[in-house]
Amino acid sequence: MVRDFFVAALAAAFALILLTFGSHLPMGTALRMGPGFVPRAVGIGLLVVAAAIALRGFLGLRRRRAVASGEPPIQWRGAASIGLGVLAFAVLIQPIGLIASAIVTVFVSSLAQDGDRIGERALLAGGLSAVAGAIFSLGLGLPLPMLPAFL
Amino acid sequence: MELLDHLALGFEVALTWQNLLFCLVGALLGTLVGVLPGIGPATTIAILLPITFELPAVGALIMLAGIYYGAQYGGSTTAILVNMPGESSGIITALDGHQMAKQGRAGVALAIAAIGSLFAGTVSTFFIAGSAGTLSELGLMFGPAENVALMVLAIVAVMVMGKGSVLNSLVMVLIGLSLGLIGTDVETSKARYTFGIQELRDGIDFIPLAMGLFGIAEILRTLETPGNGELVRARITGLWPKGADLKASALPILRGTGVGTVLGILPGSGTLLASFSAYMLEKRISRMPERFGKGAIEGLAAPESANNAAAQTSFVPMLTLGMPSGAVTALMIGAMTIHGISPGPQVVTQRPDLFWGVVC
């Protein structure tokens, strides 16, 4: 149950963020809660559950060491390329505009799928960004930068 | 007859040509996007949500409902043809539906799915119409204490009914709560976790949250099951089911509708529970349970009807109590909030046009 450790780590990370960056918020009392009350409660709750899940993973690991794991493998490639694609869009939209950043996003995300059909990917990226440009700029008239800012 | 008056009002709203148009456009778009493999109703609504911004509230909700039904049906189509359910409840449809398609009965499978959905949708609509009055009266007695109780119930229900471990669901609930903490504290107006970013003072916006949680998460999830997109290339011949098929699926459709209607009302249960229960029920009472999973028409008809009945009746807790029963209704609540309607017991009384319009 390696997966349990990932879940526990995720929960613990959220808990630490809550507790660290919320430490300056006044706690108040249960009757007159300050802004820091609920964040602390949620953070501590997350820590407790994280510990429980890690413990479960530890016990499960010992018990099932002989049994082959039936879990499907984690798709790192897919998760990474889609995550990167979204991040790339967020970073690029202001400097290089919608059309170019959509091309980058679609291309990076399409790497989630196996195979090396570069031509197909390029066509998909170009087509989708053209559609996106048409819908959001011409169709809906959203105030988004279309072309790179330096043009 | 108060009920008839309500229904009349609803039809009056729903049958104006603009709203009919919105509904048609919504259903069309929903089916188009829903047919794409791996994209379920939740993703479809998340993608198409921005389109409804310009519309008046009633029209927007009607269009969203259209998108929902369209996407739901589009999802069944891919489940049957390429064994790629677009959402969790489509898994059950794919079990027997895809087997039927492999046996060259794809047309029949599609038709039965459509008939079952239509029947279940119609019956459960009348059910909603009949019961909503009582439910909303109940809803009006709700004060803050009851609302908190409802929230806790919803969270507990989500944890218990969700697939997999309760601890993992608890983590998701707590992470959800922590995301909700971002923004200005309601009591003391002190900014929490905004890191000085002005945009975060109002909290995380609904649309980015929905896109991230439902849209992108759904895409990531389809990656977990790679390579089952086996295409059925057989020509779809004979769309119309034969008499025997109809007869075999009539009772399952009825039973599926019943199961779906009841389970759809339960807050937090959603359509998966309904279609799964209907499938298990059919399997249990069938004289030949071994046929299930190998293209049994009952195994397609019952869950598909249950699915649609539940989809309909799940609007009752959503519109009257403001409690979502799944990703889709959660999105609809978000859409309502964007249009300036706070979902809850007041909806039925304050905006009868909206409630009855959507129902019809």
Side-chain angles (χ1 to χ4, degrees):
Chain A
M1 296 299 262
V2 184
R3 219 164 260 219
D4 276 342
F5 293 113
F6 284 119
V7 178
L10 180 73
F14 264 92
L16 288 181
I17 293 174
L18 278 183
L19 294 176
T20 324
F21 295 101
S23 58
H24 66 282
L25 296 168
M27 180 82 178
T29 63
L31 272 180
R32 296 187 60 85
M33 289 189 203
F37 194 91
V38 180
R40 273 194 191 85
V42 173
I44 293 169
L46 269 172
L47 273 185
V48 171
V49 184
I53 288 181
L55 186 71
R56 183 185 68 185
F58 185 65
L59 293 179
L61 206 64
R62 280 208 315 206
R63 187 157 18 90
R64 309 221 256 142
R65 187 161 287 169
V67 191
S69 171
E71 295 170 3
I74 299 180
Q75 302 283 325
W76 292 114
R77 178 195 169 113
S81 46
I82 290 178
L84 273 181
V86 175
L87 276 183
F89 189 78
V91 174
L92 292 176
I93 177 89
Q94 288 297 343
I96 69 170
L98 176 75
I99 294 177
S101 50
I103 290 178
V104 174
T105 304
V106 175
F107 193 80
V108 173
S109 312
S110 76
L111 293 177
Q113 200 165 31
D114 293 323
D116 47 6
R117 292 158 298 181
I118 293 290
E120 201 173 303
R121 273 172 197 162
L123 198 69
L124 184 70
L128 279 182
S129 57
V131 171
I135 292 178
F136 289 110
S137 180
L138 304 179
L140 294 176
L142 291 183
L144 277 174
M146 277 293 124
L147 296 169
F150 46 79
L151 280 186
Chain B
M1 282 302 282
E2 205 187 1
L3 173 61
L4 286 183
D5 291 344
H6 286 323
L7 276 178
L9 173 65
F11 277 116
E12 217 169 278
V13 176
L15 289 183
T16 58
W17 66 268
Q18 293 103 324
N19 285 340
L20 275 180
L21 190 71
F22 289 145
C23 188
L24 185 71
V25 171
L28 203 66
L29 282 175
T31 318
L32 274 180
V33 182
V35 159
L36 299 175
I39 295 186
T43 327
T44 314
I45 292 187
I47 292 173
L48 296 179
L49 198 53
I51 300 182
T52 64
F53 284 172
E54 305 282 311
L55 304 178
V58 182
L61 267 190
I62 287 178
M63 186 159 161
L64 279 173
I67 291 175
Y68 180 30
Y69 299 131
Q72 191 110 29
Y73 185 63
S76 322
T77 313
T78 50
I80 291 172
L81 289 184
V82 290
N83 200 15
M84 242 190 180
E87 45 137 14
S88 44
S89 58
I91 294 168
I92 318 282
T93 312
L95 283 180
D96 274 301
H98 186 56
Q99 293 299 325
M100 285 182 70
K102 273 188 175 164
Q103 295 161 11
R105 300 209 294 154
V108 179
L110 285 176
I112 289 290
I115 294 173
S117 307
L118 183 70
F119 177 77
T122 320
V123 169
S124 49
T125 305
F126 276 105
F127 180 80
I128 301 183
S131 64
T134 336
L135 256 177
S136 61
E137 268 166 38
L138 198 76
L140 273 184
M141 295 188 287
F142 272 55
E146 286 85 352
N147 269 329
V148 172
L150 251 187
M151 295 281 186
V152 174
L153 172 74
I155 290 175
V156 172
V158 164
M159 288 189 340
V160 177
M161 305 222 185
K163 297 177 290 187
S165 105
V166 175
L167 275 180
N168 288 2
S169 317
L170 186 59
V171 167
M172 294 332 286
V173 166
L174 287 174
I175 290 182
L177 281 177
S178 30
L179 288 180
L181 286 173
I182 298 172
T184 311
D185 179 28
V186 212
E187 291 290 323
T188 56
S189 1
K190 209 164 157 34
R192 295 193 287 202
Y193 305 107
T194 57
F195 300 102
I197 300 170
Q198 202 59 43
E199 283 86 349
L200 282 181
R201 285 193 145 257
D202 287 334
I204 299 184
D205 235 7
F206 179 74
I207 299 287
L209 197 68
M211 279 309 287
L213 282 184
F214 301 124
I216 293 177
E218 197 94 349
I219 293 172
L220 286 176
R221 220 182 48 197
T222 53
L223 284 172
E224 285 210 331
T225 52
N228 59 356
E230 232 182 291
L231 277 172
V232 174
R233 297 208 180 273
R235 280 277 306 267
I236 298 180
T237 43
L239 196 60
W240 286 106
K242 295 192 202 70
D245 291 333
L246 275 180
K247 223 172 112 191
S249 49
L251 275 177
I253 288 181
L254 269 181
R255 284 191 288 260
T257 307
V259 170
T261 308
V262 175
L263 289 181
I265 301 179
L266 287 184
S269 62
T271 52
L272 174 66
L273 188 71
S275 54
F276 192 70
S277 315
Y279 189 75
M280 292 317 281
L281 178 73
E282 285 308 314
K283 203 169 168 180
R284 176 125 352 135
I285 62 174
S286 166
R287 261 179 252 125
M288 290 174 288
E290 67 278 359
R291 286 195 306 120
F292 281 80
K294 296 184 192 132
I297 200 162
E298 302 95 309
L300 169 72
E304 190 62 17
S305 327
N307 192 354
N308 270 274
Q312 274 277 2
T313 47
S314 66
F315 275 84
V316 171
M318 178 193 105
L319 285 173
T320 54
L321 305 176
M323 264 172 75
S325 67
V328 176
T329 28
L331 277 170
M332 299 280 278
I333 289 186
M336 288 167 80
T337 326
I338 288 170
H339 287 286
I341 308 153
S342 59
Q346 315 87 333
V347 167
V348 185
T349 37
Q350 283 174 7
R351 301 292 302 268
D353 54 333
L354 184 118
F355 182 80
W356 295 103
V358 173
V359 167
C360 297

